[in-house]
Amino acid sequence: MDGVIVDTEAYYQIEQREFFEEFGIEVSDEELLATVGASFQSFQRSLVDWLGRIGRVVTPDEALRIYRDWKNGREVDYAALMNPGVHESWRVSKSAASATRTPRARFRQTLSFSEGKSRVWNPSHRRWYHS
């Protein structure tokens, strides 16, 4: 749920900057920002280009292996990267799930429509019943 639950883009930018520094690769902020939202294949092509700047001529798969080998073992604290409100939303959804665990509660989940009619969803039978 990248971007919805966890905001990893800023983290990835910092991580990639560390990779460049360790390998002695010069990459502008504009180039790095261009990878935000880019496809996996686009990122791989960028890796090939960046590694080529230091004389490493590699295939896209080799570039990715180099990056993954460098990244291997680095811990990411995803909880610290969670978007605001995620913890509260999670607590609320867990409470709602607990409240609907009993068979009667599940059966009595109701929706009211503008015509004043309501229907009850029975998840066991996977169908609506008129109340």
Side-chain angles (χ1 to χ4, degrees), residues 37-106:
S39 70
F40 174 76
Q41 292 81 8
S42 177
F43 177 69
Q44 255 186 316
R45 287 190 299 273
S46 294
L47 278 174
V48 168
D49 174 57
W50 296 328
L51 288 166
R53 294 178 190 182
I54 58 168
R56 295 191 69 173
V57 180
V58 293
T59 66
D61 288 338
E62 290 169 332
L64 187 61
R65 184 189 47 75
I66 290 167
Y67 184 75
R68 286 184 173 161
D69 286 349
W70 171 84
K71 189 176 172 175
N72 190 25
R74 292 178 181 264
E75 296 285 325
V76 179
D77 182 7
Y78 286 105
L81 301 174
M82 281 192 182
N83 284 320
V86 170
H87 292 287
E88 179 59 29
S89 296
W90 183 255
R91 267 194 304 279
V92 169
S93 67
K94 281 178 65 176
S95 296
S98 296
T100 60
R101 283 197 179 126
T102 66
R104 181 183 169 131
R106 274 184 276 153

